[in-house]
Amino acid sequence: MSNLNAPNSPFVPFSPNPSIQSGVPTATPPLSASKPAQLGSSNLRYASSRKSIYDRHLNRTQRSELSKASFAFLFGEMIQYAQKQVSGIQDLEKKLNIQGYAIGQRLLELLLYREGRSAKRETRVLGILQFIAQTLYRHLFGKPADGLEKSREHEDEYMLIDHDPVVNSHISVPKEMSQLNCAAFVAGIIEAVLDGSLFPCRVTAHSVFSEQFPSKTVFLIKFEESVLEREAVLQ
Amino acid sequence: MVILSILILNKAGGLIYQRHFNEGLNKLSSNDYLVLAGTFHGVHAITSRISPVPGSGGLEVLESDQFRVQCFQTLTGTKLLIFAEPHQPNIDVICRRVYELYADYVMKNPFYQIEMPIRCEQFDRQLVAYIKPKQ
Amino acid sequence: MSSTKAARIGEEVWKTRIDKVNAELVTLTYGSIVAQLCKDFEGDYMEVNKQLDKMGYNIGLRLIEDFLAKTNTGRCANFRETAETISKIGFKVFLNITPTVTNWTSDNKQFSLIFDENPLADFVELPDDGRAQNELWYSNILCGVLRGALEMVQMQVDAHFASDVLRGNDTTEMRVTLIRMIDDELPPGDD
């Protein structure tokens, strides 16, 4: 990764430090800790009989299930907690985005690890979007995203469509807050996966009502200039 | 199977939800419904105390020539009232399903404040989708 | 209700009436919540514990209706039955675990729940800052949930963690105490 910063390189330099990289929510801590994890010098206690988390296989919980209700109640509390701290809908969505962002960072690593030898490093926009629409979505929600579209008006915009986001299934937004879409949480997950794959962007969730799909959500993905430049070079 | 209306009362007897499924009903003013709910809550409490059978719950079924009302009280004190045409079977099943919908689309809605009137669009939609085909 | 009957009911409801999601979605979401709290309270883990308990309480007030609607559980005859219901049905239908009920006091008003598995804390390691392991109860939201849920069915309880493997203890144990039955708000007719 280190030679990517060569001046003539078409690749975007990526720093885990959020203050250097634009487009990253500044409240998100970088994934790598400031000091490397040295178990020898760590002061953590471990249970005498039980092994630590490093002894458990990462794939152990891959197909485990919990009740959707558990997620719904936790997500509901997340929303209520965030609501107390902010005053506007946009700020609320931003808070949810940030909480999703932390998850996306971890999921990206986890999903790529699980793909093992067949993991492919995506360098094209369509490739990474398919990864999100298929692999990521299937893992989190048990179904692929319902559609992927490229904007006709704006070169840097793509849309990921979900007819009935799992995260919104129990939520009814009050009429006075009709602009709010709590899937901003999922937008954060998507944004983190894209940022982490070197496709810096901004992702927002928008409600699009239709008779057939009253809960339809469109995730608007707006890529930064550098992504388009690289895409053009790779064409 | 004709369901006429569904009312939900909170623990204090306040009316937090009403939905009518039959156009032919007499329209009462919204204040009347609040009074109706409060009255029922009181009657429910009284009936349990005057019941000759010890340890019985409150009023469960009220049947007349014109209608039948069934009251399902949860362990938490919330009451679901189903108004239907007389001699309707299987109202129990409907009560249970409405309770499930209440748990799913009202309780799990972070924008719903407990004990307050229910204004959850998904709950309305799901309830209508469940009841309408039965009419 | 006997323990085996409760276990059977819990298993059946889990299999047939519960919508499920990927466990990691829940684990990661909970992790995000705790991490955000730790950040907001700048490492004041006692405050984080309090906030988690409060959040859990809010959840419990609502979760009880979902529990009752899905399981059709009737009123428990005594606190021992309540404990079995919580462990074999409650935890089963929400977290697919059945913590062991043990360590009853002689007056039957206090018991422990021992968690062999805790999906909320999967792959979690507390921060190595010298304080988290002594102060933070990572899964404290569960205590609040029990408190809120039981209050809605007229039981005032105290629930707190006595030990947690995340803190280096050998077990994860929650202690639940019945403080009193709330009679004045009892739905009329039930006893």
Side-chain angles (χ1 to χ4, degrees), chain A residues 76-88 91-96 99, chain C residues 36 40 55:
Chain A
E77 271 309 303
M78 182 191 281
I79 294 171
Q80 283 197 50
Y81 177 72
Q83 234 188 334
K84 292 196 193 96
Q85 300 186 310
V86 298
S87 51
D91 283 337
L92 178 56
E93 287 193 348
K94 185 147 181 255
K95 282 248 168 207
L96 294 175
Q99 299 233 251
Chain C
Q36 187 65 41
D40 286 345
M55 282 177 151

Side-chain angles (χ1 to χ4, degrees), chain B residues 76 96 99-100 107 109 112, chain C residues 17 62 65-66 72 187-189:
Chain B
T76 56
R96 292 249 305 271
Y99 189 31
E100 262 184 50
M107 292 288 101
N109 184 9
Y112 170 70
Chain C
R17 303 188 68 188
R62 298 159 179 260
E65 302 273 29
D66 193 35
N72 288 328

Side-chain angles (χ1 to χ4, degrees), chain A residues 27 42-43 45-48 54 56 61-62 64-68 70-71 77 81 85 99 114 139, chain C residues 19-24 29 32 36 39-40 58-59 93-95 122 125 128 133-134 167 169-170:
Chain A
S42 124
N43 294 321
R45 297 186 297 264
Y46 294 101
S48 56
Y54 304 104
R56 292 172 72 175
T61 50
Q62 191 174 0
S64 303
E65 291 181 312
L66 291 179
S67 72
K68 193 163 160 214
S70 297
F71 173 76
E77 271 309 303
Y81 177 72
Q85 300 186 310
Q99 299 233 251
R114 284 190 177 143
H139 179 72
Chain C
D19 286 336
K20 303 184 182 61
V21 290
N22 177 281
E24 288 173 354
T29 301
S32 184
Q36 187 65 41
K39 196 164 153 293
D40 286 345
N58 288 339
I59 290 179
V93 308
F94 288 106
L95 294 179
D122 258 343
E125 193 174 74
D128 188 7
Q133 274 202 317
N134 295 329
R167 285 182 156 206
N169 303 124
D170 285 338

Side-chain angles (χ1 to χ4, degrees), chain A:
Chain A
M1 284 265 194
S2 47
N3 356 351
L4 287 180
N5 295 347
N8 297 322
S9 160
F11 296 108
V12 177
F14 175 62
S15 163
N17 185 336
S19 60
I20 296 178
Q21 180 183 17
S22 58
V24 173
T26 50
T28 309
L31 195 52
S32 52
S34 45
K35 63 175 198 287
Q38 292 165 26
L39 284 182
S41 63
S42 124
N43 294 321
L44 289 177
R45 297 186 297 264
Y46 294 101
S48 56
S49 47
R50 296 271 306 258
K51 303 185 180 142
S52 73
I53 56 174
Y54 304 104
D55 298 302
R56 292 172 72 175
H57 200 279
L58 260 184
N59 292 344
R60 208 170 146 279
T61 50
Q62 191 174 0
R63 270 174 262 288
S64 303
E65 291 181 312
L66 291 179
S67 72
K68 193 163 160 214
S70 297
F71 173 76
F73 285 119
L74 286 177
F75 188 52
E77 271 309 303
M78 182 191 281
I79 294 171
Q80 283 197 50
Y81 177 72
Q83 234 188 334
K84 292 196 193 96
Q85 300 186 310
V86 298
S87 51
I89 288 177
Q90 282 200 319
D91 283 337
L92 178 56
E93 287 193 348
K94 185 147 181 255
K95 282 248 168 207
L96 294 175
N97 182 303
I98 288 173
Q99 299 233 251
Y101 198 90
I103 293 179
Q105 287 177 312
R106 289 154 176 77
L107 266 180
L108 176 61
E109 300 284 353
L110 188 62
L111 292 176
L112 289 178
Y113 161 79
R114 284 190 177 143
E115 292 202 328
R117 291 243 168 81
S118 56
K120 178 170 173 269
R121 179 173 165 217
E122 301 291 349
T123 51
R124 307 297 301 276
V125 166
L126 203 55
I128 191 65
L129 289 180
Q130 286 288 15
F131 173 77
I132 293 173
Q134 299 293 324
T135 311
L136 179 84
Y137 240 77
R138 271 189 219 271
H139 179 72
L140 280 182
F141 306 123
K143 53 158 194 172
D146 293 303
L148 202 53
E149 285 173 19
K150 186 175 183 331
S151 162
R152 271 177 277 247
E153 294 105 49
H154 300 108
E155 261 309 298
D156 57 350
E157 282 180 4
Y158 288 75
M159 278 96 74
L160 189 96
I161 299 163
D162 191 337
H163 288 151
D164 191 9
V166 167
V167 308
N168 281 345
S169 44
H170 299 283
I171 298 179
S172 304
V173 178
K175 289 206 171 47
E176 58 270 16
M177 296 173 83
S178 58
Q179 306 281 14
L180 172 69
N181 190 329
C182 298
F185 177 70
V186 179
I189 298 180
I190 296 174
E191 196 174 312
V193 170
L194 288 170
D195 281 350
S197 305
L198 303 186
F199 290 87
C201 63
R202 279 244 173 268
V203 185
T204 45
H206 303 269
S207 322
V208 178
F209 180 84
S210 78
E211 272 306 314
Q212 197 188 5
F213 303 114
S215 309
K216 180 166 154 187
T217 295
V218 171
F219 295 101
L220 186 64
I221 302 166
K222 197 173 174 69
F223 288 108
E224 289 191 0
E225 195 55 42
S226 52
V227 176
L228 302 176
E229 286 168 7
R230 183 178 66 213
E231 194 72 4
V233 167
L234 292 173
Q235 211 65 283

Side-chain angles (χ1 to χ4, degrees), chain C residues 21-158:
Chain C
V21 290
N22 177 281
E24 288 173 354
L25 175 62
V26 181
T27 307
L28 288 169
T29 301
Y30 184 62
S32 184
I33 291 176
V34 180
Q36 187 65 41
L37 287 177
C38 288
K39 196 164 153 293
D40 286 345
F41 290 108
E42 288 160 345
D44 181 354
Y45 295 119
M46 307 306 267
E47 264 310 307
V48 175
N49 289 339
K50 255 198 249 162
Q51 189 65 36
L52 283 174
D53 183 83
K54 203 156 130 230
M55 282 177 151
Y57 179 77
N58 288 339
I59 290 179
L61 299 179
R62 298 159 179 260
L63 177 139
I64 183 69
E65 302 273 29
D66 193 35
F67 172 75
L68 293 173
K70 288 271 169 10
T71 63
N72 288 328
T73 314
R75 199 166 280 289
C76 291
N78 51 54
F79 199 51
R80 286 195 88 105
E81 223 180 87
T82 305
E84 291 301 326
T85 304
I86 292 171
S87 142
K88 308 285 182 305
I89 311 182
F91 274 99
K92 178 69 183 174
V93 308
F94 288 106
L95 294 179
N96 197 20
I97 53 174
T98 48
T100 316
V101 178
T102 173
N103 289 349
W104 279 101
T105 50
S106 47
D107 61 0
N108 283 335
K109 288 215 171 127
Q110 227 184 69
F111 66 93
S112 286
L113 284 170
I114 314 276
F115 293 84
D116 281 322
E117 281 179 75
N118 182 358
L120 292 183
D122 258 343
F123 296 111
V124 172
E125 193 174 74
L126 294 184
D128 188 7
D129 58 9
R131 285 184 307 115
Q133 274 202 317
N134 295 329
E135 294 171 13
L136 179 65
W137 292 113
Y138 184 82
S139 310
N140 215 35
I141 206 169
L142 295 176
C143 299
V145 172
L146 274 190
R147 198 165 57 87
L150 290 174
E151 189 176 297
M152 288 286 103
V153 287
Q154 293 83 43
M155 276 178 267
Q156 192 186 348
V157 301
D158 170 74

